[in-house]
Amino acid sequence: MGAVETLVSGNEEFARSTFDGTLRMKPKLATVVIGCVDARVDPAVVLGAAQGEIMAIRNVGGRVTPRTLEELIMLRAIAGTVNDDFDSSWELIVMQHTQCGLTRIHDRTELLAPYFDVAESDLGAVPVTDPYAAVARDVSLLRADGRLGSARVSGLVYDVATGRVESVGSG
């Protein structure tokens, strides 16, 4: 059985046993986690969140890029259509991790500069090899962007060797 068949079979079991048609678009914890696409780092699994408790935006490295900001602004606009907003009841969490694949291409300026939308000469200001520095930078970017309302912004680093998260730049 191939991957698609395996996943469709898994969906059949999900639909039969755990599907909850009462879930709303707004997550129960009013939380958006920005995380990495790495299969070891699924935000809901790592953080013990149940279906419908969090939203997740995943990209390479779990980074706050111009595209990530656009997605958050779109989510805020969608929330506004149901009389909600990214106010102080919302949480934006940047969650990056140790042993990230992005660190393996830290010297590939032709890939990283467009990804972060910076000149190659400015890449030194964008931490890539240190997840703690990267989270601190990305948390600062979110806090500085007035288009995101008054949501609380926090940062976490997930250690793939221990399974634990550590708070970074939260508050």
Side-chain angles (χ1 to χ4, degrees):
M1 187 176 345
V4 172
E5 293 82 8
T6 299
L7 295 171
V8 168
S9 176
N11 173 258
E12 289 172 7
E13 176 60 27
F14 163 79
R16 185 175 38 259
S17 63
T18 55
F19 173 71
D20 181 354
T22 66
L23 292 175
R24 298 172 36 115
M25 192 178 341
K26 179 180 181 179
K28 291 177 185 173
L29 297 178
T31 299
V32 180
V33 178
I34 301 157
C36 186
V37 297
D38 188 317
R40 301 170 294 175
V41 193
D42 183 319
V45 173
V46 166
L47 298 173
Q51 182 187 13
E53 288 187 326
I54 66 171
M55 292 179 173
I57 296 174
R58 296 177 74 178
N59 64 32
V60 176
R63 299 306 303 263
V64 174
T65 66
R67 178 88 55 209
T68 309
L69 288 169
E70 290 171 12
E71 289 184 56
L72 288 168
I73 291 162
M74 286 177 40
L75 282 173
R76 184 178 184 204
I78 292 167
T81 68
V82 292
N83 297 318
D84 195 9
D85 195 5
F86 281 3
D87 59 18
S88 60
S89 69
W90 277 81
E91 181 92 31
L92 305 178
I93 300 172
V94 176
M95 186 177 83
Q96 295 167 23
H97 65 96
T98 59
Q99 299 178 22
C100 184
L102 195 60
T103 64
R104 296 172 183 232
I105 60 165
H106 67 90
D107 57 346
R108 299 285 306 271
T109 57
E110 78 282 4
L111 294 174
L112 296 173
Y115 184 62
F116 291 109
D117 195 25
V118 298
E120 286 188 24
S121 59
D122 294 332
L123 268 173
V126 181
V128 175
T129 59
D130 177 355
Y132 295 90
V135 166
R137 175 200 181 261
D138 290 358
V139 164
S140 293
L141 285 174
L142 290 178
R143 286 186 180 148
D145 197 312
R147 300 172 295 172
L148 297 177
S150 59
R152 182 173 177 226
V153 180
S154 300
L156 301 171
V157 172
Y158 172 68
D159 187 327
V160 299
T162 67
R164 300 206 182 271
V165 295
E166 184 177 343
S167 182
V168 178
S170 298

